[in-house]
Amino acid sequence: MEIMQVRGTLVCTYRVAGLDHMHLRILENNKGKKLVAVDPVGAREGNWVFTASGSAARHACPDNTVLTDLTIGGIIDHWTPDG
């Protein structure tokens, strides 16, 4: 798992069937790299979240057939990032 910050929403009109109606978020990791994650929890821009990656990411979704290798597992309520 990794802590990342939500930087925005990704809107895609056409998707493969395995992504169906899942919300997509743009996340930024601690190195400044931007990644796209499936969001089953409803995170908003600016939220700090923890993520599941690799094959575990599919199991973090309500439907484990969703095609993803990065899923938001939860929104962090209280956390201060290290400077």
Side-chain angles (χ1 to χ4, degrees), residues 6-26:
V6 179
R7 293 298 186 187
T9 298
L10 189 65
V11 178
C12 296
T13 304
Y14 298 101
R15 309 175 190 204
V16 295
L19 285 174
D20 296 322
H21 301 289
M22 296 296 297
H23 295 283
L24 301 174
R25 303 288 182 240
I26 301 167

Side-chain angles (χ1 to χ4, degrees), residues 17-81:
L19 285 174
D20 296 322
H21 301 289
M22 296 296 297
H23 295 283
L24 301 174
R25 303 288 182 240
I26 301 167
L27 304 182
E28 187 173 351
N29 69 10
N30 63 347
K31 297 178 183 173
K33 182 176 180 182
K34 289 189 173 63
L35 303 141
V36 176
V38 169
D39 178 13
V41 299
R44 296 178 183 212
E45 188 170 342
N47 285 147
W48 288 96
V49 297
F50 69 89
T51 60
S53 60
S55 60
R58 286 192 330 258
H59 299 289
C61 290
D63 175 2
N64 67 1
T65 63
V66 171
L67 300 174
T68 183
D69 65 351
L70 187 62
T71 300
I72 296 173
I75 300 168
I76 299 170
D77 293 322
H78 303 285
W79 181 71
T80 303

